[in-house]
Amino acid sequence: MTKIHLTVDGGAVSEDVEPRMLLVQFLREKLGKTGTLIGCDTSNCGACTVHLDGRAVKSCNVLAVQADGGEVTTIEGLAATYDGGELHPVQAAFHECHALQCGFCTPGMIMRSVDLLNENPDPTEDEIREGLEGNLCRCTGYHNIVRAVQTAAAAGKGEEQ
Amino acid sequence: MIPAAFDYAAPTTVDEALALLAEHGEDAKLIAGGQSLLPVLRLRLNAPEFVIDLGRIDALRGVRDDGGALVVGAMTTHATVATDPLIAQHAALVSKAVRTVADAQVRNRGTFGGALAHADPAGDVGAPALALGAQFVIAEQGGGRRTVDAGDFFVDLFETAIGEDELLTEIRIPKHTGWGAHYEKFVRIAQQWSIVAVAATVRAEGGTIAEARVALTNMGATPLRATAVEELLRGRPATEDAIRDAVSSVADGTSPPADLNGDADYRRHLARVLTRRAVLTAATG
């Protein structure tokens, strides 16, 4: 077992883990943060996307020990660590645009979309589609997801003015 | 899917990592960003007894200017390489190729050196490194460093010149300031490995190709440098017809793989088409 210390959704966490434990297992099984989903288990689908030190990563493809000392944000802490509100602006935009059907890909889509808008606050439609290439929606509801990211980007611009 | 159990260490210096490699021998595996290794461990295609994590060795990260060359630390992430201003200015071919690796999440974790050491023939970092004449700095047991030219680094499928008790520390990329560059990657779906891709960088002088460097991805067990085509391109006008003629032999003598994405002849056809597009875009922007 290896002792790890990290920050998850704003709170300090210390746990003993097996080195082989994946970050997504750590979040779900040790911390009970089941908002982060396991989709494909092959690092293709992006459902397990969280932020590690501010960047989107696939938590099924990171060992928990690799996150030692790091700062993890999941869908569960996204709004609280942003401004303490109920919904992050990207979550609000997904709600407003009905950017989900079954909802399984949604946590990962939102976490990657936030990262995308941090990199590029005013993306074109093509940049959004390419930027989300690591997240699969098997309901194929991509149109509303793209609209939601555009809506969140426009709202962000409004805030800056 | 969970990897088989292993012991783990996260050294903070290259010397410590080398000592762990010497101690654990063939039971040990180095993990860089882990974006290729972790899927292999989860599928239990490999089950090392000991995993040495290079992620805590700060000296292996970053990009610096070293006069005639840029030096990229092996643990620098693809995301950093893709957006680094020095690389964009002096080795634009690398910036452009790295932006096509996998997807954003993988580029945030995956490393430039890790991908080169993994040496997947369909990976997108080998061909630009080969085209630009990169040199690979390898740490040996005992504290020494040796430098291997790109032409000698890629040995075979998933096999490089890095010895079992050694590790890659830096990649030195000779500056190609002012050269146009393009990486033309052919895939049929998002985040796919290259079916074939072509890396091209060109120094143009008033509409003429003064010098060109071309390398191919997934046209054999290793990235391939198209030196004969580079010679044929020298002095040609940067027009589609002239380039098409010069690159028509680019697939000669290659042994590309045949799989569900295409047979070998199809890949040879792709190599000719993609080389024309890559060189034309590199020459004319």
Side-chain angles (χ1 to χ4, degrees), chain A residues 19-20 22 25 41-44 49 52 55-58 60-63 65-68 112 115 133-136, chain B residues 1-6 8 31-35 38-39 42 44 53 56 79 102-105 107-109 190-191:
Chain A
R20 64 172 165 168
L22 305 170
Q25 278 179 281
D41 224 355
T42 60
S43 79
N44 279 292
T49 299
L52 175 56
R55 300 304 302 268
V57 302
K58 293 180 172 179
C60 79
N61 215 23
V62 178
L63 297 169
V65 288
Q66 290 178 292
D68 185 18
R112 171 55 195 146
D115 187 36
E133 71 175 325
N135 294 75
L136 304 181
Chain B
M1 290 178 288
I2 296 165
F6 52 78
Y8 170 86
I31 187 167
Q35 299 303 286
L38 285 172
R42 284 191 324 224
R44 304 210 179 187
D53 183 356
R56 310 281 165 187
D103 58 51
Q105 289 97 314
R107 292 194 293 274
N108 282 339
R109 285 294 299 169
Q191 52 155 308

Side-chain angles (χ1 to χ4, degrees), chain A residues 118-134:
Chain A
N118 286 341
E119 280 168 15
N120 180 0
D122 190 19
T124 64
E125 182 179 339
D126 282 350
E127 285 169 344
I128 295 169
R129 289 182 185 277
E130 277 180 29
L132 294 177
E133 71 175 325

Side-chain angles (χ1 to χ4, degrees), chain A residues 42-143:
Chain A
T42 60
S43 79
N44 279 292
C45 81
C48 65
T49 299
V50 301
H51 295 177
L52 175 56
D53 297 327
R55 300 304 302 268
V57 302
K58 293 180 172 179
S59 62
C60 79
N61 215 23
V62 178
L63 297 169
V65 288
Q66 290 178 292
D68 185 18
E71 191 167 318
V72 175
T73 305
T74 76
I75 189 71
E76 297 188 31
L78 180 64
T81 55
Y82 176 70
D83 64 357
E86 198 173 326
L87 293 178
H88 182 280
V90 174
Q91 288 174 304
F94 269 62
H95 181 237
E96 187 183 323
C97 298
H98 194 65
L100 68 158
Q101 291 180 43
C102 83
F104 202 90
C105 71
T106 310
M109 284 285 182
I110 289 174
M111 297 310 286
R112 171 55 195 146
S113 297
V114 171
D115 187 36
L116 169 65
L117 291 173
N118 286 341
E119 280 168 15
N120 180 0
D122 190 19
T124 64
E125 182 179 339
D126 282 350
E127 285 169 344
I128 295 169
R129 289 182 185 277
E130 277 180 29
L132 294 177
E133 71 175 325
N135 294 75
L136 304 181
C137 167
R138 290 297 76 160
C139 307
T140 70
Y142 294 106
H143 288 301

Side-chain angles (χ1 to χ4, degrees), chain B residues 35-57:
Chain B
Q35 299 303 286
S36 294
L37 181 62
L38 285 172
V40 166
L41 298 190
R42 284 191 324 224
L43 292 167
R44 304 210 179 187
L45 298 172
N46 196 336
E49 290 176 16
F50 202 93
V51 170
I52 303 167
D53 183 356
L54 303 178
R56 310 281 165 187
I57 308 179

